[in-house]
Amino acid sequence: MMKQGERSRKKRRGTGMKELKIYAFADEASPEIDGQIRAMERNGLSGLEIRGVDGVNIADISDAKAEEVRKKLDDAGLSVWSIGSPIGKIDVKTGDFRTHLEKFRRTMETAHILGAANIRMFSFYYPEGDDPEIYRNEILERLGLMSEMAKAEEITLCHENEKAIYGDNAERCLDILTHVPGIRGVFDPANFVQVGQDTLSAYKLLAPYIFYMHIKDALPDGRVVPAGKGAGHVKEILSSFREQGGTHVTVEPHLHVFSGLGNLEKEGARSAVGEPAADHAEGWPDSDSAFDAAVAALREMIV
């Protein structure tokens, strides 16, 4: 008798869908690389979109630390799909771009050590209340420079739609992806929900440019919930992504407060992580259980 999983795989082959490669921000399970490896192994994941290592942001680790992490991952049969960097998360008007560019160069060196071909990045904060159009040319020029640098290093830059940056809505993401050669798109449904962007229309607009997805969902009030439980239309978008040949996703749980969370958002922002709505979500007692729940929610969509 054919088992359910075998039937599902047969069905996917029949529709032309390729097997999905699932990665994760495993620093949400543990700040320590050993704990991250255990979380990936027990959930059967392919590897990491690496963001934090032993309590240090990936853009700030040493070569020696990167080599240590690479060996541990190799020994576990795991890979680094993308560097979950903070590149592009400075204010376009007041931030020190020259110093930030040096951080970017350093991050590319780390990517090489870890065997990562991709770097996740952003399109700069701008002063609150200002029209983002004021900064468009400057932002596109900076992104173009970084894209040229990445091309020389045979690294792909992947722009994520994030709250409060230039590319926080679909139209400005499209502006970036059509005007900056070499940059590809990361589609995060929860982030679009949190800025009031309809995710279905956003995906329809951006689909030709999306390289991979972040699996994260949110309620209309911004609180993050397991994928499929919010307003992000994650299941429908994931299905379309796969039908169009998409093969890589990263689980980004954000269901429990974790080490380093405060450094991921613009200064003064208040994260919705760890604040579940009683009628929509449960609380999780620790980071490991929240991480496992996020992965399980994704697997329910692809069975």
Side-chain angles (χ1 to χ4, degrees):
M1 180 180 293
M2 187 180 293
K3 295 180 181 179
Q4 182 178 353
E6 293 171 337
R7 287 196 299 267
S8 298
R9 285 191 291 273
K10 187 174 182 181
K11 182 179 179 181
R12 286 197 297 271
R13 287 195 295 270
T15 58
M17 286 189 183
K18 297 180 180 178
E19 199 71 28
L20 197 63
K21 293 284 189 179
I22 305 174
Y23 300 88
F25 287 107
D27 58 344
E28 297 200 31
S30 171
E32 310 300 326
I33 189 61
D34 292 338
Q36 294 178 33
I37 290 172
R38 288 194 295 272
M40 288 184 288
E41 288 179 328
R42 72 171 177 267
N43 283 282
L45 304 184
S46 298
L48 277 165
E49 180 155 349
I50 195 165
R51 184 174 57 196
V53 176
D54 295 340
V56 179
N57 187 277
I58 192 63
D60 299 320
I61 67 171
S62 66
D63 285 355
K65 188 64 176 181
E67 289 165 359
E68 174 192 327
V69 169
R70 175 67 183 268
K71 183 178 187 309
K72 288 185 175 184
L73 291 171
D74 285 348
D75 289 346
L78 298 165
S79 63
V80 177
W81 157 248
S82 183
I83 303 294
S85 83
I87 298 303
K89 274 194 171 183
I90 61 169
D91 191 287
V92 65
K93 186 174 182 179
T94 62
D96 183 347
F97 183 57
R98 180 174 295 181
T99 298
H100 200 62
L101 212 54
E102 288 304 313
K103 181 186 285 284
F104 175 53
R105 289 192 180 95
R106 183 74 191 84
T107 302
M108 290 194 291
E109 292 172 3
T110 300
H112 287 313
I113 295 172
L114 293 173
N118 308 301
I119 293 178
R120 183 281 307 266
M121 43 79 71
F122 305 93
S123 53
F124 301 96
Y125 297 125
Y126 56 91
E128 187 174 356
D130 281 3
D131 182 348
E133 186 65 23
I134 297 171
Y135 306 100
R136 175 185 181 271
N137 290 343
E138 175 70 16
I139 288 170
L140 295 186
E141 182 178 334
R142 290 183 179 189
L143 294 176
L145 172 60
M146 291 192 291
S147 182
E148 289 175 4
M149 293 168 63
K151 182 179 180 181
E153 296 291 331
E154 298 184 336
I155 288 173
T156 299
L157 288 190
C158 306
H159 175 268
E160 178 185 348
N161 56 289
E162 171 66 284
K163 302 179 292 295
I165 62 171
Y166 178 77
D168 66 354
N169 67 22
E171 289 75 17
R172 289 195 292 272
C173 283
L174 184 66
D175 188 27
I176 292 166
L177 296 171
T178 55
H179 286 92
V180 184
I183 291 185
R184 304 187 72 179
V186 182
F187 192 96
D188 188 309
N191 288 349
F192 275 136
V193 171
Q194 290 172 337
V195 300
Q197 169 77 64
D198 176 73
T199 57
L200 291 175
S201 60
Y203 186 75
K204 183 177 180 181
L205 185 67
L206 299 172
Y209 308 97
I210 300 305
F211 185 28
Y212 69 100
M213 287 184 63
H214 282 172
I215 303 300
K216 187 161 98 254
D217 206 348
L219 299 171
D221 65 8
R223 284 176 287 190
V224 178
V225 290
K229 305 295 184 181
H233 300 286
V234 179
K235 185 172 183 177
E236 299 98 309
I237 291 169
L238 178 61
S239 178
S240 294
F241 172 70
R242 298 188 69 197
E243 287 172 359
Q244 294 172 18
T247 55
H248 293 73
V249 299
T250 297
V251 177
E252 185 175 17
H254 269 40
L255 300 177
H256 191 273
V257 175
F258 58 94
S259 176
L261 171 63
N263 297 323
L264 300 182
E265 295 187 326
K266 188 174 183 179
E267 186 176 352
R270 183 170 181 268
S271 175
V273 176
E275 301 176 19
D279 58 342
H280 288 281
E282 302 173 22
W284 289 270
D286 53 47
S287 294
D288 272 317
S289 59
F291 182 88
D292 294 352
V295 176
L298 168 60
R299 293 205 186 278
E300 287 178 7
M301 295 182 179
I302 58 177
V303 169

